[in-house]
Amino acid sequence: MSAGSEFALELRDVRKSFGKTEIIRGASLQVRPGERVAVIGPNGAGKSTLFNLVSGRFGSTSGDILLAGRKIDGLKPYEINRLGLARSFQVSNLFTRLTVFENLRCAVLWSLGYRYSFWKFLADARDANDRAEEVMEMIKLHKRRDVQAMNLTYAEQRALEIGITIAGGAQVILLDEPTAGMSKSETARFVNLIREVTVGKTLLTVEHDMGVVFGLADKIAVLVYGEVIAFDTPERVRANERVQEAYLGSVLAEQQAQQAAGAH
Amino acid sequence: MHHPGKVYRFRPYNVGRWVVWGLYAIVMLVAPLLFTSSLSLTMLSQMGIAIIACLAFNMLLGQGGMLSFGHAVYSGLGSFFAIHTLNMVSAGTLALPVSLVPVVGGLAGMAVSILLGYVTTKKAGTPFAMITLGVGELVWAMSLMFPGFFGGEGGISGNRVAGEPFLGITFGPQIQLYYLIAIYTFVCTAAMFAFTRTPLGRMLNAVRDNPERVEFVGYNTQIVRYIAFIASGFFMGISGGLAALNFEIVTAEVVSAVRSGAFLLFTFLGGAVFFFGPIIGAILMVLALVLLSELTQAWLLYLGLVFTFMVMYAPGGISSLIMMNLRVAAFGKLRPLLASYLALAGTGFVILAGSGAMIEMLYHLQLNQALGPELKFMGASLNAKDLDSWFGAAFVLAIGVALFEMTRRQFVREWGETQEWIEKEIKRREAAL
Amino acid sequence: MDASYLLISTLNGLSVGLLLFMLASGLTLIFSMMGVLNFAHASFYMVGAYVAYSITQAVGFWWGLLLAPPLVGLMGAAFERFALRKVHKFGHVPELLITFGLSYIILELVQLIWGRQALDFRPPESLQGPLFTIVQLPAGMQLAWGSPPPMCREVAEAICTTFPAFRAFGMGVAVAMLIAVWLLLTRTRIGLVIQAALTHPEAVESLGHNVPRVFMGVFGGGTALAALAGVIGGALRVTEPSMALAVGAVVFAVIVIGGMGSLAGAFVASVGLGIIESFAVGSDRSIADALRFLGMTVNEQTFGYAVWSVKTSQIAAILPYLLLVLILIFRPKGLFGTREG
């Protein structure tokens, strides 16, 4: 284990330019194992881009990204996933023609060591089948076991999306706007689901809904113009002047009042 | 966390599966006893060869979403290696039973796909298709450059009666070769079916559906494609090896773009979505190449038209049409549709008559001028130079199109209603669980 | 290797390359705009040649040159409207498949209407014959307009090479087309839309333009360009049913080499291939010669002699595909690749 591995995920002055435009301008972050971090920020701040950099969807221009002390910037997505990081997508990225069960099974095959084997039958892969069943129960889609992913409802697809992400047992989970497009009640249910399935994991969520943020997160990272301007507990972030300036503190206060009055 | 423990799934003995495979084997065993003419035997042999090839092609197309325009390279090179091996057996330099020669073809196909597949699978989708086209052209052109291996214009001939007979079987008579082909076909079909039920097979499907997500669940997409490509090449090579034994001659045509196109066309026609689709496609391929081409000179045109309409209206091929109707039948809603189907068939026939007459007259003018302007079509006497015949054909076509369109709309409405009813019924059953 | 050989080979290569580019540019525009790779593009090239032939027989070549491209463009637009559009929702593979089916249909229809023999499609009287002759003397090079001058027959050391007028005309048409397309893309509104689509196809969909009609126009325009190339190519080379297959595969190799979706790449790849092929055809050297030059003994006994002894002129035909494979190994994105398939 190398020095600095006290952090499950660490970003050091990460930068990313697309052509001449610098989207991520020196983002730094240190997430401890088991922490649940919400990444918030105005539109265009670069939240999804940050997730894409961490998960390997594209490479950073400069800076270091470390997973449990190991440098992962520049690695391919599958290499990063094999090291224990999984992510979900803002727009559900499912295996469209496969069933719910098959989707989940595909998500666990590598982590259970099946690799590129064509000399074993899937039907005999007890551990993979059991794990897929387990996750299916967790995300409450066991009634839709044999439905093709493209025929699921929107909320069901989002649930499957999360299922695929956590099925492989990765320690660090990145969720990109998991509750996007959901109604209030669906969101509330979903937040409970996320809390249940990510027990003991390190979680980073991009979120716009403040209710979700306060319901899920131990810490909030505020991303503005590609920089992390604050990373602290929700109360301290709310009180942070820079955040208030950049991100309409009034919105935060308003939402928090709503939360205290209505949600519970 | 919610731990439901190990889930007990009730897995009844899958009788259905044994029945299907049993029937498949029985059909292959019994077919030559029902269709005894030598033409039938030739066609049955070719069907077996084609089935292996189309199934192998579909490993890439249907299971992996990879469209290859140059797949004849692998079966063709398999054929060439096989026939050279056969000649070595005949010359006594190699002691290999003739029945194992197709395996040599398979290994050759595998070797070539290992070599070429690395470069080919670097891309996906449309670029992949273009690369396979280029590689196909490359091999085709090379076949003209190395007459030592490819035999130039005349190709390479061989004699399958070579080496020691096995239990009195020399493979001289076609019937003996047919049963060899049948065994290979059954084994290869089973192997390729088994492949679909392995981790690699399933991940190949995942790559087809969402190559990006595959990377995020820990798999290297390119390796999945590459291995599948090699597996496909292996079976293509076996098909080629059997073809070498069947025809006892291999010419450069076996690696041509025309042949690659045929694999694509007929596999798609049979249907890429279901496993058995290519089997239907392969059977159609042999029927078309052997019978249809005798029936009419316009057969390639008809084929192109059928294919194009399939892409537009039934992209899942014939097998998906069968499965859709089976589903309707399972819900008991097939009988009401039969009337519409009959009407569609009838009006479709009229269209065929009208357009067929015109096409045949055109072909007659083009190619059979020496025979005079008269020709027979569907029992009627037509005169290709007479305007009456043309007007008559056009009239029939117009009526056919009008009637067909009417019946089609009616059918689409009925079909839509049936599908809606089925969807509702499924939901109802689910809720009742 | 004398200067006149170099010059003529380069010009020939340029002419072939420009013809190839006429085809590759239409294909690239369609691909960039609509994401569809038109497998039948070379078939429209063929139809252009055949239609121009028929018009030429009736009213002369110039009408053929003028009318054939728009006519074929209309056919292309009709195909887009009535067939391709239906398949758009199924994805890119079915789109490729339907153009594949179309190529079969066009091939059969062309043979049905015009027969299976090669047609005698020749350049017009005014453009037959050489444009200029290069006279290579020991002292130097001379240029003579028109047919070879008497010097060629009378002086023994004079090596005369002619350059056909129609070939030059074809190059002129290609360049004119290039300029016209460039002007269209950069100076007109629709051109801006197409340019945007070259790099950001999704954005075009939300632009509020009548996107289906733009698609139809682009497809029709691309096929019209192919037909224009066909008029020139058919008259310059041979007009026969196999011409589509012959040129089609090369064009697809060209766009992958140049980088799919890149016009600049298509240009460099087309012209580059044309010139390389032009020089290769004229050379009888082989790898065996190179090895001998390095001092190795290479003869029939050497392992793989069949491969080493292949002459450059023999592989001229497959150079595009060899380069395709090489590019894929060393630079998979293509020369100027921007978009993936």
Side-chain angles (χ1 to χ4, degrees), chain B residues 296 298 302 349-365 375-378 380-384 389-397, chain C residues 112:
Chain B
T296 162
Y302 290 133
F349 183 75
V350 175
I351 293 183
L352 194 65
S355 56
M358 295 209 289
I359 292 176
E360 293 303 323
M361 284 198 281
L362 256 177
Y363 267 100
H364 193 81
L365 279 175
L375 69 146
K376 275 210 162 297
F377 181 76
M378 285 192 192
S381 232
L382 296 170
N383 189 324
S389 296
W390 283 92
F391 272 126
F395 185 67
V396 168
L397 178 64
Chain C
L112 186 60

Side-chain angles (χ1 to χ4, degrees), chain A residues 27-124:
Chain A
S28 294
L29 197 62
Q30 287 138 345
V31 183
R32 291 205 159 74
E35 269 185 338
R36 314 161 82 71
V37 179
V39 180
I40 66 174
N43 279 326
K47 305 188 288 295
S48 281
T49 309
L50 202 64
F51 268 27
N52 287 335
L53 290 175
V54 173
S55 61
R57 201 179 193 188
F58 20 88
S60 54
T61 313
S62 70
D64 299 319
I65 305 176
L66 298 105
L67 183 68
R70 195 200 150 132
K71 261 177 74 92
I72 60 170
D73 43 280
L75 290 182
K76 294 265 173 61
Y78 55 86
E79 291 170 311
I80 297 179
N81 178 265
R82 291 174 196 171
L83 290 172
L85 184 146
R87 67 156 303 171
S88 76
F89 290 83
Q90 191 178 340
V91 177
S92 295
N93 224 357
L94 312 168
F95 301 122
T96 45
R97 281 160 63 182
L98 296 180
T99 62
V100 168
F101 179 73
E102 296 280 11
N103 263 273
L104 292 170
R105 188 159 60 177
C106 283
V108 308
L109 285 175
W110 188 274
S111 58
L112 290 173
Y114 284 96
R115 309 270 162 119
Y116 304 105
S117 56
F118 50 87
W119 47 88
K120 297 185 198 165
F121 282 124
L122 280 171
D124 299 331

Side-chain angles (χ1 to χ4, degrees), chain A:
Chain A
M1 275 289 183
S2 42
S5 62
E6 54 176 300
F7 297 123
L9 181 67
E10 193 179 350
L11 276 70
R12 293 185 191 153
D13 196 38
V14 173
R15 290 175 186 274
K16 175 67 182 173
S17 308
F18 290 100
K20 293 207 203 100
T21 330
E22 202 178 25
I23 301 289
I24 306 290
R25 306 130 151 257
S28 294
L29 197 62
Q30 287 138 345
V31 183
R32 291 205 159 74
E35 269 185 338
R36 314 161 82 71
V37 179
V39 180
I40 66 174
N43 279 326
K47 305 188 288 295
S48 281
T49 309
L50 202 64
F51 268 27
N52 287 335
L53 290 175
V54 173
S55 61
R57 201 179 193 188
F58 20 88
S60 54
T61 313
S62 70
D64 299 319
I65 305 176
L66 298 105
L67 183 68
R70 195 200 150 132
K71 261 177 74 92
I72 60 170
D73 43 280
L75 290 182
K76 294 265 173 61
Y78 55 86
E79 291 170 311
I80 297 179
N81 178 265
R82 291 174 196 171
L83 290 172
L85 184 146
R87 67 156 303 171
S88 76
F89 290 83
Q90 191 178 340
V91 177
S92 295
N93 224 357
L94 312 168
F95 301 122
T96 45
R97 281 160 63 182
L98 296 180
T99 62
V100 168
F101 179 73
E102 296 280 11
N103 263 273
L104 292 170
R105 188 159 60 177
C106 283
V108 308
L109 285 175
W110 188 274
S111 58
L112 290 173
Y114 284 96
R115 309 270 162 119
Y116 304 105
S117 56
F118 50 87
W119 47 88
K120 297 185 198 165
F121 282 124
L122 280 171
D124 299 331
R126 299 276 282 303
D127 47 359
N129 293 332
D130 287 345
R131 173 73 182 151
E133 297 272 357
E134 196 185 322
V135 177
M136 207 164 51
E137 298 261 345
M138 277 199 256
I139 59 176
K140 319 250 188 311
L141 285 184
H142 44 277
K143 287 234 169 107
R144 307 281 274 160
R145 184 182 199 275
D146 296 318
V147 176
Q148 288 178 304
M150 58 187 182
N151 291 333
L152 295 173
T153 67
Y154 180 76
E156 287 171 334
Q157 286 183 340
R158 295 307 281 155
L160 183 58
E161 176 72 28
I162 306 252
I164 295 176
T165 309
I166 59 128
Q171 272 308 307
V172 179
I173 310 270
L174 272 56
L175 300 179
D176 196 347
E177 297 198 43
T179 62
M182 290 190 186
S183 65
K184 269 265 179 260
S185 55
E186 279 175 337
T187 304
R189 253 195 315 227
F190 220 66
V191 169
N192 284 329
L193 175 67
I194 296 176
R195 220 185 282 125
E196 272 176 33
V197 302
T198 57
V199 164
K201 313 267 190 219
T202 311
L203 176 68
L204 276 85
T205 332
V206 169
E207 255 309 333
H208 281 297
D209 186 332
M210 285 306 144
V212 173
V213 171
F214 290 119
L216 268 183
D218 311 323
K219 281 199 165 150
I220 300 183
V222 185
L223 193 68
V224 176
Y225 283 129
E227 275 182 80
V228 180
I229 63 171
F231 181 47
D232 222 324
T233 61
E235 299 76 33
R236 287 199 216 121
V237 163
R238 218 179 325 124
N240 184 315
E241 273 175 17
R242 277 191 77 190
V243 173
Q244 284 176 3
E245 211 181 289
Y247 197 30
L248 299 174
S250 54
V251 176
L252 290 175
E254 188 187 313
Q255 289 250 4
Q256 207 248 343
Q258 263 183 6
Q259 238 238 337
H264 290 294

Side-chain angles (χ1 to χ4, degrees), chain B residues 220-298:
Chain B
N220 183 339
T221 313
Q222 199 200 333
I223 293 189
V224 174
R225 289 201 187 108
Y226 186 35
I227 300 182
F229 196 86
I230 296 171
S232 172
F234 175 68
F235 289 106
M236 291 299 286
I238 292 189
S239 169
L242 286 170
L245 288 181
N246 189 42
F247 297 105
E248 292 180 301
I249 183 169
V250 183
T251 61
E253 190 271 333
V254 298
V255 293
S256 66
V258 172
R259 183 162 290 223
S260 293
F263 285 138
L264 170 58
L265 200 134
F266 284 101
T267 304
F268 185 82
L269 213 58
V273 176
F274 290 99
F275 181 78
F276 68 94
I279 298 181
I280 297 179
I283 294 176
L284 283 175
M285 176 157 92
V286 176
L287 287 173
L289 261 45
V290 176
L291 291 179
L292 191 63
S293 56
E294 296 295 314
L295 209 60
T296 162
Q297 299 225 351

Side-chain angles (χ1 to χ4, degrees), chain B residues 195-210:
Chain B
F195 179 82
T196 64
R197 289 171 138 54
T198 61
L200 184 67
R202 188 63 72 243
M203 288 316 295
L204 184 63
N205 295 142
V207 166
R208 170 197 66 198
D209 289 348
N210 195 336

Side-chain angles (χ1 to χ4, degrees), chain B residues 122-123 130 141 307 363 366, chain C residues 37 108 112-113 318 328 332:
Chain B
K122 269 185 178 253
K123 298 294 196 82
M130 292 302 105
F307 177 79
Y363 267 100
Q366 266 302 335
Chain C
L37 194 64
E108 287 304 307
L112 186 60
I113 301 176
I318 60 163
L328 283 169

Side-chain angles (χ1 to χ4, degrees), chain C residues 153-193:
Chain C
R153 267 174 288 126
E154 289 157 15
V155 180
E157 302 89 26
I159 307 172
C160 298
T161 349
T162 57
F163 191 72
F166 190 70
R167 209 174 255 272
F169 175 71
M171 289 167 72
V173 168
V175 172
M177 183 221 88
L178 240 179
I179 296 179
V181 169
W182 183 78
L183 283 174
L184 176 81
L185 285 181
T186 53
R187 296 291 148 91
T188 66
R189 199 179 55 136
I190 195 71
L192 283 176
V193 172

